[in-house]
Amino acid sequence: MTKGDTFSVTVNNQITGPKEGTALHCHYSAQYAGGAFGAMIIHGPHENIFYDVDVGPVLLTDWYHKEYFELVKQVVSTKRGPPPFSDNNLINGKMDYDCKSIPAGGPACTPNAGISKFNFTSGKTHRLRLINAGAEGIQRFSIDNHTMKVIAQDYVPVRPFDTKVVTLGIGQRTDILVKANLPSDSAVFMRSNIPKRCSAATQPLALAAIYYEKANRTQTPKSTPQTYDDSKCGNDDLTITKPLFPFPALPNAATTLNLDITFGPNATGFNLWYMNNVSFRANFDAPIFLLAAAGNTSYPFSPQWAVNNFGSNSSVRLIIRNRHPANHPMHLHGHNFFVLAEGQGEWDGKITNYPSTTRRDVQIVQGSKDKDTPGYLVLQYDTDNPGVWPFHCHIAWHVSAGLYVNLMEQPELIRQKSVPQTIVQTCRDWSEHSGREVVEQIDSGL
C-alpha cells in the first residue's frame, strides 16, 4: 500500500476442519513492532472442545518507546552491540510503567496507566486465545492459582494437556481452557513474563487482573506467581504436543533442504542474518509470485531474493541448524508443517512422536550451545499449495536483517493460477508510486 490508500479484506470462511482463529499483522519492514497488528476469530465448522465462556484473544506484546524505523536503523547498522531492549511488556495493550525511568526530554508518560481486566465466573470453563504479537520477546504466560489446559497450538487442535506455564515465541498462538475453581469473590493476576536469558527486555513482566463475579474490582489482586522451569529458550517438549487429529508425515520427503543460520557483517560492514550465506533483500517492484506466474522461475542475477525452487516435488524436509546463540521462532506461510525434531547438537534422524507428529506454523529453533553444538529444527510439509512462500524468523529485528528465504512449490501449477485483478492493480499502483517517490528501504523490506 502507498500513502493515502485504503483497503478492505473479505474473508471467505472455507475452513473444513476443526481449527479456527487467526492473527493479522503488517509485513512491511518491522511495522508490526510499532503496533500494526490485530486479532480476529474465524470459526471452523466442527469443534469438539466444550467450554462455557469465550474470553477472546489475549495479545501479549513487548513494547518499545522508540518508533520502529529508528529501531531498524539501530539493528541494521555497522555497530556491534546488543539488540534493542523493549521498554515494557503488555497484555491486551496495557501495563503500568515507572515514568521516573524515562530520561529528561523523553516521550510523554502517564504513571499508573492501569492493567487489563478479565472476568471469570466460578465453576465455569473459560477459553483464552493467546497470541504473542510482539517484536522480539519469548513470553511465559501463567495464571496464579490456576492450571491451564492447552487445546490448540497455532490453531491446530492438540490432545489436551495440563500446564502451569505456556511458552510462546513471536507469532505463536496457543488456545487454553481454564476452570474457574476458586471462590466467587476471588481475584488473581494473569502474568506474562519475558525471560531475560532468552530475550532483551528492560521491564519483562506484564500483569492483568482476573476478577471473579463477586470480587472487589477496586482492589488489586494479591496472588503469588506459579513456579515453573524457565531454563529452555524454546517451546514445550514435542513429546507432549501431539495433534488431536494425526496426519502422519511421510517417513522420507521427496526433497530435503539444509539451512544454516549465521550472523555477521556484509561487505560494507552492516550486520546481517544469513541462511546458507544469503541475507534476503526484497525488491518491491518485482514480486516473485507474479514473476513465477508469468513463467520466470530463475533469478541468477538476484541471489539476495533467496529463492529455493522445489519444482514438482510432493514434499519438502527442512533441516535448520542455528549456529548463533539467539533463538529464532521460524514461521512458514501457506502451510502447517510437521515438526519432526528439535534440540541442540546434530539431529540423529529420529522423528519425535511418529506418527502423531506435532503440526503448527511457527516453531522455535533453539540457539547454539557453543560453536560446535548448533540448535537444530527439522520440519516437513507437503507441497499442496502452489506458490512462493516466505520462511523466516518472526523476530522483527532478525527478519529485517535478512533472516528469510522464499520457498517455491509446484511452479507449473503457479502458471495456471489466475491472479486477481485487484492484486494486479495494486502492483500497478505501487509501480507508479515507486517511480514517483524513492522508497526508503533500509532493511530487508520484511
Side-chain angles (χ1 to χ4, degrees), residues 235-440:
N235 289 120
D236 294 327
D237 194 291
L238 294 177
T239 59
I240 65 172
T241 57
K242 300 177 181 180
L244 189 61
F245 305 98
F247 303 109
L250 294 173
N252 296 295
T255 189
T256 296
L257 174 65
N258 292 283
L259 291 168
D260 273 26
I261 295 175
T262 54
F263 178 81
N266 66 3
T268 57
F270 282 80
N271 298 303
L272 300 173
W273 289 98
Y274 300 83
M275 279 199 271
N276 288 358
N277 298 316
V278 175
S279 186
F280 171 77
R281 185 173 176 86
N283 181 346
F284 296 139
D285 294 320
I288 296 170
F289 176 81
L290 292 186
L291 294 176
N296 181 0
T297 59
S298 179
Y299 321 104
F301 301 109
S302 300
Q304 73 278 10
W305 292 355
V307 179
N308 297 272
N309 185 347
F310 296 123
S312 60
N313 282 291
S314 60
S315 58
V316 175
R317 179 171 294 177
L318 305 175
I319 302 177
I320 301 104
R321 295 181 182 88
N322 181 13
R323 302 191 181 278
H324 189 276
N327 66 83
H328 304 287
M330 302 303 297
H331 175 44
L332 176 62
H333 292 222
H335 292 275
N336 287 325
F337 47 62
F338 299 97
V339 186
L340 304 187
E342 68 90 25
Q344 290 177 311
E346 292 291 341
W347 182 41
D348 60 8
K350 296 179 180 178
I351 298 175
T352 306
N353 283 348
Y354 189 84
S356 298
T357 314
T358 297
R359 297 195 312 277
R360 59 188 314 167
D361 61 28
V362 185
Q363 177 73 24
I364 298 173
V365 58
Q366 297 181 65
S368 62
K369 189 175 181 180
D370 52 52
K371 65 182 182 65
D372 298 317
T373 313
Y376 70 85
L377 175 63
V378 185
L379 309 175
Q380 188 167 307
Y381 64 98
D382 297 330
T383 59
D384 53 7
N385 192 10
V388 182
W389 298 113
F391 179 62
H392 62 90
C393 174
H394 222 306
I395 292 174
W397 322 129
H398 294 182
V399 69
S400 277
L403 193 43
Y404 173 114
V405 293
N406 284 297
L407 306 181
M408 182 185 295
E409 63 184 81
Q410 307 295 342
E412 288 302 315
L413 296 180
I414 293 175
R415 294 182 64 179
Q416 298 175 25
K417 282 183 171 288
S418 176
V419 180
Q421 283 303 307
T422 53
I423 300 299
V424 174
Q425 186 59 48
T426 298
C427 291
R428 291 194 188 113
D429 293 343
W430 174 263
S431 180
E432 181 182 346
H433 168 77
S434 62
R436 190 173 61 249
E437 296 185 28
V438 176
V439 178
E440 189 176 8

Side-chain angles (χ1 to χ4, degrees), residues 153-166:
Q153 294 178 322
D154 298 346
Y155 313 122
V156 176
V158 299
R159 297 182 192 175
F161 65 90
D162 292 341
T163 186
K164 291 184 177 180
V165 62
V166 173

Side-chain angles (χ1 to χ4, degrees), residues 204-259:
L205 178 63
L207 295 172
I210 295 176
Y211 292 102
Y212 279 58
E213 67 269 24
K214 294 182 181 179
N216 185 347
R217 297 177 66 89
T218 64
Q219 293 186 352
T220 301
K222 302 185 184 302
S223 57
T224 56
Q226 306 265 23
T227 58
Y228 52 83
D229 183 0
D230 196 33
S231 61
K232 180 183 178 182
C233 296
N235 289 120
D236 294 327
D237 194 291
L238 294 177
T239 59
I240 65 172
T241 57
K242 300 177 181 180
L244 189 61
F245 305 98
F247 303 109
L250 294 173
N252 296 295
T255 189
T256 296
L257 174 65
N258 292 283
L259 291 168

Side-chain angles (χ1 to χ4, degrees), residues 140-156:
R140 310 272 201 219
F141 180 89
S142 63
I143 298 176
D144 296 352
N145 303 332
H146 289 76
T147 297
M148 300 173 290
K149 187 180 294 293
V150 174
I151 61 170
Q153 294 178 322
D154 298 346
Y155 313 122
V156 176

Side-chain angles (χ1 to χ4, degrees), residues 78-100:
T78 56
K79 297 179 181 179
R80 294 298 297 266
F85 276 62
S86 59
D87 295 290
N88 207 348
N89 195 19
L90 313 178
I91 297 178
N92 276 1
K94 292 185 176 182
M95 179 57 191
D96 290 332
Y97 185 78
D98 182 7
C99 294
K100 295 179 182 178

Side-chain angles (χ1 to χ4, degrees), residues 18-39:
K19 66 181 182 178
E20 59 177 56
T22 192
L24 65 155
H25 53 268
C26 176
H27 246 311
Y28 172 80
S29 189
Q31 283 185 346
Y32 64 85
F37 60 83

